[in-house]
Amino acid sequence: MGMSLQAGASGPSGARRRRGRKHKPMAEINVTPFVDVMLVLLIIFMVAAPLLTAGVPVDLPKSEGAALQSDSEPLTLTVDPQGRIFIQETEISFEGLQAKLQAITEARKGMDEAIYVRGDKTTNYGELMRVMGRIAAAGYKKLSLVTELDDKR
């Protein structure tokens, strides 16, 4: 009796049951979880991308001009109400502005690109003109002032 139990568990009858399966193992990859994760990441990046464009908070003046289209990330210079100067989100002194802009131009292989100047509406006009003079002295020929769209139309 002990032999028949042992032979039934690992004998030829057990092997027959394994070979006679009706369902074969599936060899396809289930991509549904991958697609779900990619859609969530897409939504996160779509929401976060506009928040990353301007890191220094300034109150821009209003105007009726149309938005400019650009393929690459623009170089943005910001002057806040206290007169501090920022290139992208990095604060820089007025004296070091020209050298830093020339280094950026060389690093970007001398591209003839526009530089966007964001000035708070309470910033002193003379201070903003001094900064724009330094930008021109650094070799930038295309200056664009950034404003908010006037919604009174």
Side-chain angles (χ1 to χ4, degrees), residues 6-7 19 28 41-42 44-45 55-57 59 61 64 68 76 78-79 86 89 103 107 119-120 140 142 144-145 153:
Q6 197 173 35
R19 265 188 254 140
E28 297 174 4
L41 288 174
L42 177 69
I44 289 171
F45 287 128
V56 181
D59 189 17
E64 294 183 11
L68 297 174
T76 306
T78 306
V79 181
F86 296 86
E89 285 110 21
D120 193 273
Y140 286 90
K142 298 178 184 175
S144 297
L145 294 173
R153 292 199 272 169

Side-chain angles (χ1 to χ4, degrees), residues 53-54 58 60 66-79 85-89 97 101 108 112-119 128 131-132 135 140-147:
T53 57
V58 291
L60 296 173
L68 297 174
Q69 301 299 324
S70 176
D71 294 337
S72 63
E73 180 186 352
L75 182 61
T76 306
L77 192 133
T78 306
V79 181
I85 303 166
F86 296 86
I87 296 179
Q88 303 298 67
E89 285 110 21
L97 179 62
L101 286 174
R108 292 186 176 199
D112 186 33
E113 64 177 324
I115 184 166
Y116 295 109
V117 179
R118 300 173 67 235
L128 198 56
V131 169
M132 290 177 67
I135 294 170
Y140 286 90
K141 294 174 180 44
K142 298 178 184 175
L143 292 173
S144 297
L145 294 173
V146 178
T147 62

